[in-house]
Amino acid sequence: MADTQTSRDEDFSPGCSLSDCGVTDKDCAALTSVLRSNPSNLRQLDLSSEKLGDSGVKLISAVLEDPQCKLDTLGLFDCGVTDEGCAALTSALRSNPSHLRELNLSKNKIGKSVSLLSDVLQDPHCKLERLWLSNCGVTDEGCAALTSALRSNPSHLRELNLFGNKIGKSVNLLSDVLQDPHCKLEILWLWDCGVTDEGCAALASALRSNPSHLRELNLAGNKIGNSVNLLSDVLKDPHCKLEKLCLNDCGITDEGCAALTSALRSNPSHLRVLSLSENKIGKSVNLLSDVLQDPHCKLERLQLNRCEITDEGCAALTSALRSNPSHLRGLDLSGNKIGDSLSLLSAVLEDPHCKLEILWLNDCGVTDEGCAVLASALRSNPSHLTELDLIVNNLGQSGVKLLSDLKDDPNNKLETLYY
């Protein structure tokens, strides 16, 4: 997943994106001069991947502290911001805290300044809803300051991204925020944060006591395989509203997958996206298939990249999709050697009730023969699949031609093709 920030707002407020445009300090000075002369119109500014450094951020901060400034979205991903620049930014936000809704500071070395940012968050006038701090060098100390601020002002923040910060020991503190009934956090990313079984237990306990707000939880890259049972208890709760769950590379085994699928069978109607990639759960795909064939299941995206799925598991999966074909929109089976089962998967695709839009079969052992079966299915049901990934497969000239002809067919909806 790319760690860049795009606004989820669906309005048409004025915005300016200069991401990765080679903006210099001189350019930034000219830009901020314009913004100071007319600060009330611009709502969104994205300067991600520009090497603004602290000098550029200080110029931006001068705009933000103007009471006429109405900026609600600011992207500073990978801008070379340090503690000095972050101090200027937070000072500006303290003097004018009520407009900014979305702030992306990911991939800047500002870990020591998280306490200053926390001062902004605990201001009752602060309306920040989305905060991205991935790969910022946030420590347990910084996380403690952050969670303390959220406890004192828990009702505004909707999205928090701490991806790539080693704060596993502080997940207990974050869990205290989640169990606050006033907490409105909907999206939480703790990907590769060093979360352990103990931290996962605290997190699960918090979600059991306050299950109704969190919509998306990302715990990828944390070795919490033994604690999936605890998370499964959360999913069983009828009040749980979790829609997206990412458990990539979490050390989940067949036992953990069994607990997870049991929970989804008892409460199948909320989860829309499930990612179990890079876990050794090939033998448990049959259990997951039982979930998929439940008519109440609303799963729209399923990621099973490099899960050691065999032809037998693929057969169970496709059987389930044939019995309940209308919900799944995206399926990732990359890195599983299922080339011999492509005819079964093709039978799903040619079903007129199938609504699959995205299919990833990267490195699946697909040959020209399998490609022909796949192309035939898509010709018979051309209206849904828009993206197909067949990179790193054994495709010859005949397979490539079949796919190219398919993409060029005006009756087919295939827009993106990788091979």
Side-chain angles (χ1 to χ4, degrees), residues 340-388:
D340 293 338
S341 299
L342 209 57
S343 58
L344 299 174
L345 190 56
S346 298
V348 174
L349 290 170
E350 64 188 6
D351 186 328
H353 299 104
C354 174
K355 300 295 190 296
L356 204 64
E357 298 172 1
I358 299 172
L359 178 60
W360 285 24
L361 297 173
N362 187 322
D363 190 23
C364 282
V366 180
T367 63
D368 282 341
E369 182 181 353
C371 198
V373 174
L374 187 62
S376 174
L378 292 177
R379 280 196 300 271
S380 67
N381 184 20
S383 61
H384 294 298
L385 203 71
T386 60
E387 182 175 330
L388 176 61

Side-chain angles (χ1 to χ4, degrees), residues 263-276:
L264 292 177
R265 280 197 303 272
S266 66
N267 185 19
S269 62
H270 291 299
L271 206 67
R272 297 293 190 272
V273 179
L274 176 61
S275 182
L276 291 170

Side-chain angles (χ1 to χ4, degrees), residues 110-114 136-146 162 165-170 173:
I110 57 168
K112 293 179 181 179
S113 299
V114 170
C136 281
V138 180
T139 62
D140 286 321
E141 182 182 353
C143 191
L146 188 63
L162 291 170
N165 296 291
K166 300 305 178 186
I167 55 166
K169 293 180 181 178
S170 300
L173 299 174

Side-chain angles (χ1 to χ4, degrees), residues 307-323:
C307 284
E308 297 190 349
I309 297 172
T310 63
D311 287 324
E312 181 185 353
C314 191
L317 188 63
T318 52
S319 174
L321 293 178
R322 281 198 302 272
S323 66

Side-chain angles (χ1 to χ4, degrees), residues 43-58:
R43 296 292 190 272
Q44 301 172 13
L45 178 61
D46 185 6
L47 291 165
S48 295
S49 299
E50 302 299 340
K51 299 308 176 186
L52 303 179
D54 293 329
S55 59
V57 171
K58 287 178 181 178

